[in-house]
Amino acid sequence: MTDARRNTTVTVLGCVVLLAIYALPLYWLVATSFKSLKDVFAGSAALIFTPTVQAYVDVWNGGFATSAANSLIIAVSTTVIVLVIAVPTSYGLARLSGPVVTGGLAVLIILQMVPTTSTLIPLNRLLAQWGLTGNLYGVAIAIAATNLPFSMLLLRPFFTGVPIAIEEAAASDGADRWQRFVKIVLPITRNGIATVATLTFIGAWGEFLYAITFLNDPGQYPVSALLAQQMSSYGVNWPGLMAVSVLVSVPTVLIYLFGQRLLVGGITMGSIR
């Protein structure tokens, strides 16, 4: 067997193994969502069963649309807050230098290591002072606060990679700093901004701890809480749990499909720098 054929065989086997690792759990998740509760525990129904959409009907009637709307408000608000603060701040950290910037970067790294549970009480008191407890936007502010350090550290290399000479050339043509930032820097760093926006949205979409801590009305709970409600002291509603999981993953899949080029490009450029 030649080296080329041997490498091809190893590659094919590796792809098959990876496909089995990722595809089988995905199949099990989707298949279980179309089973009845009786079929879930029937050994003979592992591969052959009569599909039913009852789990999806029950989940939808159980308030999925409201929970999804709540999650969308939280995720979009969080993403907007993070971008509005992280983009200009990261640009400043990339263009400035000195002990203040070095200390600021060190603080951002340390803040990433703070456990989320340790921020519950301080954030709850702060949101209470602002009158934002029991408010979806209060949850968005809390999530954004914990995401900002990582977002700034992720964005800074993209702005550092923009040559200063380009901005200097624009300045010589009469463009002020704001015009240089909006018309030159932002288009060049769009991959990094898209990456941060995507990661922030996905993280906020599935957030659970802050939602159940800062929200008082169950009608305001996001889809992550609806997912948890499928498990109770009476057992686990496996078809309902898997149906919610499938529905919750739809926005993530759509974001990946439509933003794949920007997301992959952003991650690749960030890793190179």
Side-chain angles (χ1 to χ4, degrees):
M1 181 181 294
T2 63
D3 292 340
R5 182 173 298 180
R6 184 181 297 107
N7 291 336
T8 301
T9 303
V10 172
T11 301
V12 171
L13 290 176
C15 292
V16 171
V17 172
L18 288 176
L19 181 63
I21 292 174
Y22 289 101
L24 288 179
L26 181 61
Y27 165 78
W28 201 269
L29 185 149
V30 175
T32 302
S33 69
F34 288 100
K35 292 181 180 180
S36 64
L37 191 59
K38 180 182 65 176
D39 288 337
V40 170
F41 298 100
S44 59
L47 297 176
I48 302 175
F49 59 91
T50 302
T52 176
V53 296
Q54 187 60 45
Y56 289 92
V57 174
D58 294 339
V59 166
W60 188 265
N61 292 336
F64 178 83
T66 302
S67 297
N70 294 336
S71 290
L72 185 62
I73 293 173
I74 293 173
V76 172
S77 302
T78 301
T79 304
V80 171
I81 294 172
V82 168
L83 292 181
V84 167
I85 298 176
V87 170
T89 304
S90 302
Y91 174 69
L93 291 173
R95 287 293 179 256
L96 299 177
S97 60
V100 175
V101 174
T102 303
L105 293 174
V107 170
L108 292 177
I109 294 174
I110 293 173
L111 288 175
Q112 287 190 95
M113 296 184 289
V114 176
T116 303
T117 52
S118 66
T119 65
L120 291 176
I121 295 177
L123 284 175
N124 189 45
R125 294 185 61 180
L126 185 62
L127 293 177
Q129 293 176 1
W130 293 348
L132 290 176
T133 52
N135 188 296
L136 295 177
Y137 298 104
V139 176
I141 292 174
I143 302 173
T146 57
N147 277 270
L148 278 171
F150 171 76
S151 300
M152 293 177 186
L153 291 173
L154 183 61
L155 275 174
R156 182 175 177 270
F158 289 93
F159 291 114
T160 305
V162 179
I164 298 180
I166 297 178
E167 295 188 61
E168 292 175 345
S172 64
D173 291 336
D176 57 30
R177 179 169 291 277
W178 175 252
Q179 291 174 327
R180 299 198 301 269
F181 177 68
V182 173
K183 296 182 179 181
I184 296 176
V185 177
L186 290 185
I188 295 176
T189 57
R190 64 183 183 277
N191 283 0
I193 296 173
T195 301
V196 170
T198 301
L199 296 177
T200 301
F201 182 92
I202 293 174
W205 173 261
E207 209 289 324
F208 176 73
L209 184 60
Y210 284 160
I212 63 172
T213 302
F214 302 140
L215 296 176
N216 305 319
D217 183 6
Q220 294 180 309
Y221 283 169
V223 289
S224 56
L226 183 63
L227 194 66
Q229 290 174 1
Q230 307 306 314
M231 297 176 284
S232 66
S233 57
Y234 298 100
V236 180
N237 179 14
W238 290 108
L241 181 65
M242 299 306 175
V244 176
S245 300
V246 171
L247 294 174
V248 168
S249 64
V250 170
T252 303
V253 174
L254 293 178
I255 289 174
Y256 177 78
L257 291 176
F258 288 104
Q260 179 183 8
R261 182 178 60 84
L262 290 175
L263 182 59
V264 173
I267 294 175
T268 303
M269 291 172 64
S271 62
I272 293 175
R273 291 175 188 156

